Amino acid sequence: MRTDTEQTIFLRDYEPTPYRIVSVDLDFRITEEMTRVRAQLTIEPREETAPGTPLVLDGDGISLHSIAIDGAPLVLAAYAADETGLTVVEPPYRRFVLDTEVLLKPETNSKLMGLYRSSGTWCTQCEPEGFRRITYYLDRPDILAPFKVRITAPQSVAPVLLSNGNLIEQGAAGDGMHYVVWEDPFPKPAYLFALVAGDLGVIKDSFTTMSGREVELGIYCSHGKENECLYAMDSLKRSMAWDEKRFGREYDLDVFNIVAVSDFNFGAMENKGLNIFNDKLVFASPETASDANYASIERVIAHEYFHNWTGNRITCRDWFQLCLKEGLTVYRDQEFSSDERSRPVQRIHDVENLRVSQFPEDGGPLAHPPRPDRYREINNFYTTTVYQKGAEVVRMLATILGEDGFRKGMDLYFEHHDGDATTIEAFLKVFEEANGVDLGQFSRWYTEAGTPEVTVSEDYDAASQTYRLTLTQKTNPTPNQPEKAPFVIPVRFGLLGPNGSEMSWSAVSGGTVHDDLIILDKESVTISFEGIANKPVPSLFRGFSAPVRLNSGLGEDNLLFLARHDADPFNRWDALQSVSTHLLADAAQGRPWHADNIEALRQALLDTLDDAHLDDAFKAQAIGIPDETVIGRHIGRDIDPDSIARVRKEFITALVGPMDSKLEALFASLAITDAYSPGAGQAGRRALRTALLSLLVAGSGRGAALAERLYANAGNMTERSAALAISARNWTRDAPALLGDFRARYSGDALVFDKWLVASAQAGDDGVIERMRTILAAPDFPRTNPNRLRSLLGSFVMNNPAQFLKEDGSGFRFICEAVTEIDKVNPQVAARILTGFRVLPMLEERRRVAARAALESLRSQDGLSRNTQDILQRILAG
Ligand code: ARG
Ligand code: ZN
């Protein structure tokens, strides 16, 4: 195997290219057999480039058919071309046009990067390095150029021909062919290029921007699916309006198109004026999509749309800066969802997601900073750290600067950097300028990996009415970063008095405190509050004001006090979660809970359910029991997933038993008789019903039958799939029959089939691996489709720890065998599934040994992709 450093790319080595690309003219001729791509690139040397400097273009898996400069074909000695690139040995020392032709076979492109075919439709994915699979190019984000694209294709198979920008020409091209020309006036990096050709249905609409321009909107899909695109269209229009209102950002082209395709490596892609989407993030109907699917569609439509400003108009200088566009755009989509739905509920969702996926990444062998400084395979850095932690860092900036200060910085960012390919440093600088602050230490959030742990100690002196709060931060070493300096941690807080109301103080000293915000920027600060008449209960990190793990030291009594009284809904939820997490983690390590603990928690849950001021969606989250991954991460080492699963089951049984008839009555009373609507009101009510059902099935003999009945009578996919998933997870006596029924009922709809795959993969019985083998081995299993593979294997590794992490190693071996096969077809999907092994260092010894053995045997295979090798190497080094 090649050594580690050989193929590592470092941020510190960044240099601009010696040549720039002034404009791009592409001509695609598409036929069933092959696609010919002619590229005419207008290129010029930079001022500082020495004459005779070779021009080196990227290529990947393509072959050169012809080459000319300014119309004159090049002699063989003048260039070198192979699968990985094209070098022009001595280009003219002036502006010139490089004219190349390559031939592609999209049909056989199973990596789904570059130009490929999905259910007959030609489509592209270029971020981050797919354009080099289409033509030779300076395929990096700091090369910006205007594009003009001509597409010629058979009218019959490809009546629809799309690319970026505005349509400027179209017509017949003889022999049953037709052509179009698209022009995108905005200079863009090649990763934002897109092309779609196929026989597609469409829904159209329009949007009038704040300055009164009319934008034509289109969503393209396979014929017959048009009605399932209506919710996506509605989400798009709301996103466009929101970005104008909240950030003053207006859309800039006359057309905005979205295309739904069924083979796609991830969620969606923000290509300029032509977003391409995984169809699961477009299609929705009450019969086929769950409430959660609707919410994801709304979020991702918004996310890709928002990229038009944060990503496209202002892009990244290099891929190390990925979170410049992703973290910021996730922050923007989270804010959109908060404004469109319930802010506290959205916050809880986002934090739960962070804890379930980002915290484990940050605490394991794949940990990396939101802005990494090295990579071997950039595709492996589209991670929850870059996206979700990146968004948390932007959120902290907004918290520290305040809403106005943040907006001032954003305005300046758009003003100074429109049209730039820029960096995190430049982003932080506009906030410094706009607010007159120094963000030097704050920038560590971008450059350091790891989740800080904040420990609290308190001291109250009744005589002097002084309350002292000490906060201490500590961050464990992460790969390549042994030492950690203190972060700037914004702590939003309040002090609760004995009756649960907010206390105020006469004076405060010892640290930086503004109103309800403490800035913890040293290893430790002690803050003294004067004029405090009683010992308060501190409510810290309100709204989850920083992505840290909090060790509050509060016992169950105080946590339940917060759960009842805190003015901050996030902390009310979090207090309940903490109580359960602590009890579960202790018990899994042999320190069982006391009956009183459970009794107190039960009472708190019942009070929450009774509270008329709380909405259903909040209650649904409040009564949820932390999942096994969160408990495992809390324990942190020598994890035994069997004991966690067993203890969790006993815990829910003890908790639910004495209140099961109450919960059942509430479950029944929440049934909805109105017609289905995906809106927050109904969705919250269904979420609460589902949460109640989860508790009842896991913790009471009454649950299984309720789930079976809900499954049978459900009038929408939300309830039917929830009943199925809960039954399968708990492996009730009806589970096999429900799985069988669901499969038969929905065999024709691929996205609904995915729900069956997920439920099958998360089944709680010992037969799960065998059943998965059978599913995979079926001759008609679509083994090249990323959605199917992720639904089955991705949800198994991430959400079925008891089975994946089995002591006998069978889960590890199963996944490594599957990854071996998938890697040959689609390395990105293979590598993503493999990241499930990141828990390895946290496991107890026998499992660690078994996991290592499976990974070593995978590593010994020949011809593994760089994607898979990179993940293997980092996990095994950890
Ligand atoms: N830029 C796209 C988005 O966040 C995702 C591209 C993912 N690319 C990848 N290679 N994983 O909206
Ligand atoms: Zn994005």
Side-chain angles (χ1 to χ4, degrees):
M1 212 180 133
R2 279 172 292 183
T3 60
D4 184 9
T5 49
E6 205 180 321
Q7 39 184 310
T8 301
I9 297 167
F10 292 93
L11 169 61
R12 59 167 187 258
D13 293 337
Y14 172 82
E15 266 190 84
T17 54
Y19 293 87
R20 62 172 148 252
I21 298 182
V22 178
S23 65
V24 178
D25 243 290
L26 298 174
D27 183 358
F28 288 81
R29 191 178 173 86
I30 297 176
T31 62
E32 289 283 358
E33 294 70 44
M34 63 172 69
T35 295
R36 195 213 62 197
V37 186
R38 179 174 175 197
Q40 289 169 282
L41 310 178
T42 303
I43 297 178
E44 66 185 18
R46 291 186 199 276
E47 294 66 39
E48 55 279 17
T49 300
T53 306
L55 168 68
V56 183
L57 302 180
D58 304 297
D60 176 12
I62 55 179
S63 59
L64 186 65
H65 192 64
S66 72
I67 180 167
I69 285 183
D70 291 337
L74 294 198
V75 298
L76 274 180
Y79 68 94
D82 65 17
E83 293 249 303
T84 68
L86 166 64
T87 302
V88 178
V89 182
E90 203 174 329
Y93 195 60
R94 54 170 165 77
R95 190 178 275 209
F96 61 92
V97 176
L98 174 70
D99 191 339
T100 63
E101 246 187 341
V102 302
L103 298 177
L104 307 177
K105 282 216 173 300
E107 196 80 44
T108 60
N109 180 355
S110 67
K111 292 184 182 169
L112 313 185
M113 290 297 279
L115 177 67
Y116 64 95
R117 258 184 121 171
S118 173
S119 312
T121 300
W122 286 268
C123 61
T124 55
Q125 170 58 34
C126 293
E127 185 182 1
E129 297 178 338
F131 194 70
R132 63 186 64 184
R133 293 166 59 78
I134 295 175
T135 194
Y136 292 105
Y137 200 76
L138 293 173
D139 188 10
R140 36 189 280 172
D142 60 348
I143 295 292
L144 276 67
F147 278 57
K148 196 163 150 189
V149 179
R150 171 184 292 263
I151 312 168
T152 308
Q155 169 82 48
S156 56
V157 271
V160 174
L161 302 175
L162 306 171
S163 190
N164 317 89
N166 301 313
L167 179 68
I168 58 168
E169 211 184 309
Q170 59 183 324
D175 276 348
M177 305 285 277
H178 70 143
Y179 80 97
V180 296
V181 180
W182 289 84
E183 186 169 49
D184 181 3
F186 291 95
K188 66 165 175 290
Y191 82 85
L192 292 174
F193 166 79
L195 173 155
V196 171
D199 185 3
L200 299 167
V202 63
I203 61 166
K204 295 230 158 153
D205 207 327
S206 73
F207 180 81
T208 308
T209 69
M210 59 189 189
S211 71
R213 271 190 320 100
E214 184 91 347
V215 182
E216 198 187 307
L217 311 176
I219 302 186
Y220 291 82
C221 58
S222 40
H223 289 291
K225 288 285 194 180
E226 292 83 351
N227 283 336
E228 292 194 37
C229 301
L230 294 169
Y231 187 76
M233 182 63 89
D234 177 59
S235 304
L236 174 61
K237 292 198 288 185
R238 286 186 283 122
S239 307
M240 295 177 88
W242 185 89
D243 212 15
E244 293 184 344
K245 185 153 168 267
R246 177 74 186 270
F247 284 99
R249 296 295 110 198
E250 186 177 3
Y251 187 63
D252 50 10
L253 288 163
D254 305 334
V255 191
F256 187 82
N257 283 324
I258 291 174
V259 180
V261 300
S262 42
D263 300 84
F264 203 70
N265 275 348
F266 24 81
M269 181 64 212
E270 69 265 23
N271 318 299
K272 181 79 186 186
L274 179 55
N275 290 358
I276 299 184
F277 268 65
N278 188 322
D279 61 8
K280 74 167 185 196
L281 290 161
V282 175
F283 295 156
S285 74
E287 298 75 39
T288 56
S290 65
D291 293 331
N293 294 139
Y294 278 91
S296 306
I297 291 168
E298 178 182 85
R299 172 174 59 82
V300 180
I301 292 274
H303 178 96
E304 305 309 333
Y305 174 72
F306 296 157
H307 268 314
N308 191 54
W309 275 97
T310 51
N312 302 3
R313 291 286 288 254
I314 306 180
T315 191
C316 303
R317 187 193 71 175
D318 53 67
W319 291 123
F320 295 104
Q321 321 293 332
L322 182 58
C323 81
L324 174 71
K325 73 178 178 82
E326 295 304 346
L328 178 56
T329 305
V330 171
Y331 170 76
R332 277 152 51 71
D333 82 53
Q334 290 178 348
E335 284 298 290
F336 170 72
S337 297
S338 302
D339 285 346
E340 296 288 300
R341 293 163 178 253
S342 146
R343 181 164 286 271
V345 170
Q346 184 63 33
R347 190 63 188 137
I348 292 168
H349 262 298
D350 291 336
V351 173
E352 239 178 348
N353 181 20
L354 192 81
R355 285 183 178 155
V356 169
S357 63
Q358 200 276 328
F359 279 19
E361 179 167 277
D362 226 354
L366 299 179
H368 55 277
R371 191 190 62 190
D373 63 359
R374 67 193 69 194
Y375 61 75
R376 289 195 304 166
E377 173 50 64
I378 187 58
N379 278 296
N380 288 340
F381 282 82
Y382 286 76
T383 57
T384 172
T385 295
V386 167
Y387 279 68
Q388 273 76 38
K389 187 170 180 179
E392 292 300 320
V393 178
V394 175
R395 185 171 297 282
M396 285 190 282
L397 203 53
T399 300
I400 291 170
L401 300 176
E403 206 176 308
D404 291 348
F406 181 73
R407 174 68 197 263
K408 268 197 272 170
M410 286 299 293
D411 287 348
L412 202 58
Y413 180 58
F414 295 122
E415 196 179 313
H416 280 190
H417 293 290
D418 188 10
D420 289 355
T422 193
T423 59
I424 291 295
E425 279 81 3
F427 176 70
L428 288 175
K429 193 150 173 276
V430 294
F431 289 93
E432 291 184 323
E433 258 178 67
N435 292 279
V437 293
D438 177 352
L439 295 170
Q441 189 191 345
F442 181 83
S443 71
R444 263 177 212 151
W445 282 111
Y446 281 109
T447 56
E448 292 287 323
T451 308
E453 181 160 347
V454 174
T455 302
V456 182
S457 67
E458 322 164 79
D459 169 66
Y460 179 65
D461 180 35
S464 64
Q465 304 215 328
T466 302
Y467 172 67
R468 261 188 298 273
L469 184 65
T470 300
L471 303 174
T472 307
Q473 59 168 304
K474 178 181 177 304
T475 307
N476 289 329
T478 53
N480 303 311
Q481 296 183 328
E483 306 287 346
K484 299 287 178 183
F487 290 92
V488 178
I489 300 178
V491 188
R492 224 181 246 303
F493 78 107
L495 303 179
L496 271 63
N499 61 358
S501 64
E502 214 80 5
M503 293 178 113
S504 52
W505 43 89
S506 54
V508 56
S509 60
T512 316
V513 183
H514 305 291
D515 304 327
D516 63 346
L517 191 63
I518 298 171
I519 303 293
L520 169 59
D521 55 4
K522 300 182 197 60
E523 197 174 305
S524 184
V525 296
T526 297
I527 294 164
S528 300
F529 298 89
E530 313 287 335
I532 304 286
N534 299 90
K535 183 176 190 310
V537 178
S539 167
L540 301 172
F541 292 97
R542 282 181 161 174
F544 198 70
S545 59
V548 303
R549 303 205 295 143
L550 173 62
N551 216 329
S552 71
L554 296 180
E556 187 182 29
D557 288 357
N558 282 330
L559 287 170
L560 293 180
F561 178 81
L562 289 177
R564 278 208 174 82
H565 301 293
D566 203 324
D568 181 60
F570 176 86
N571 270 5
R572 289 181 74 160
W573 169 80
D574 204 28
L576 289 172
Q577 295 296 301
S578 298
V579 170
S580 305
T581 306
H582 292 153
L583 293 175
L584 284 160
D586 281 353
Q589 296 171 94
R591 298 186 296 275
W593 54 74
H594 198 275
D596 296 349
N597 300 128
I598 300 281
E599 172 61 32
L601 177 63
R602 186 185 311 117
Q603 203 45 55
L605 295 185
L606 287 171
D607 292 349
T608 304
L609 288 170
D610 274 345
D611 190 332
H613 301 293
L614 299 173
D615 64 29
D616 290 340
F618 177 85
K619 290 179 185 176
Q621 286 168 313
I623 66 169
I625 304 303
D627 85 358
E628 293 157 24
T629 310
V630 172
I631 303 164
R633 178 75 193 96
H634 188 83
I635 296 172
R637 53 197 299 264
D638 292 321
I639 295 174
D640 172 354
D642 287 336
S643 74
I644 294 178
R646 180 175 36 77
V647 158
R648 187 171 181 277
K649 170 96 182 142
E650 289 167 8
F651 180 83
I652 298 177
T653 306
L655 185 68
V656 169
M659 61 173 170
D660 62 354
S661 49
K662 270 201 170 140
L663 299 188
E664 187 178 346
L666 184 55
F667 172 82
S669 74
L670 289 167
I672 298 172
T673 47
D674 297 348
Y676 176 89
S677 139
Q682 273 199 15
R685 194 160 166 149
R686 280 188 290 271
L688 180 53
R689 283 196 102 205
T690 303
L692 290 164
L693 187 65
S694 277
L695 289 179
L696 285 164
V697 174
S700 154
R702 297 160 175 265
L706 286 179
E708 197 277 332
R709 237 174 302 137
L710 180 64
Y711 177 90
N713 301 327
N716 56 69
M717 183 49 71
T718 306
E719 290 180 320
R720 178 157 292 141
S721 62
L724 176 74
I726 293 168
S727 302
R729 224 176 228 284
N730 293 280
W731 205 246
T732 63
R733 63 176 194 288
D734 303 307
L738 299 188
L739 280 169
D741 178 81
F742 194 91
R743 168 105 213 230
R745 228 186 246 252
Y746 298 106
S747 58
D749 188 314
L751 296 175
V752 185
F753 179 58
D754 285 345
K755 297 186 192 305
W756 180 81
L757 293 173
V758 170
S760 301
Q762 297 182 3
D765 74 317
D766 282 327
V768 62
I769 293 177
E770 254 338 283
R771 284 198 306 279
M772 290 175 69
R773 281 189 192 282
T774 310
I775 293 170
L776 270 180
D780 59 346
F781 184 82
R783 52 182 47 65
T784 59
N785 179 282
N787 288 3
R788 305 301 93 74
L789 293 168
R790 274 191 298 254
S791 295
L792 189 71
L793 302 166
S795 52
F796 178 69
V797 297
M798 293 302 178
N799 300 321
N800 199 346
Q803 294 296 324
F804 170 49
L805 308 176
K806 253 179 154 34
E807 195 177 11
D808 64 8
S810 54
F812 303 132
R813 286 191 299 275
F814 168 64
I815 288 301
C816 285
E817 285 162 28
V819 164
T820 306
E821 292 313 307
I822 297 167
D823 194 49
K824 296 174 188 153
V825 176
N826 189 329
Q828 281 189 42
V829 172
R832 182 57 62 112
I833 292 168
L834 200 59
T835 61
F837 277 92
R838 67 189 182 195
V839 298
L840 192 155
M842 276 194 265
L843 299 175
E844 57 79 25
E845 179 163 7
R846 288 189 50 166
R847 288 176 170 85
R848 230 183 303 144
V849 170
R852 231 167 221 290
L855 291 177
E856 291 290 1
S857 122
L858 174 59
R859 173 141 79 163
S860 70
Q861 309 279 329
D862 286 332
L864 289 180
S865 67
R866 184 166 63 209
N867 308 57
T868 291
Q869 283 185 35
D870 170 50
I871 299 290
L872 269 176
Q873 191 267 333
R874 285 193 278 150
I875 291 179
L876 285 168

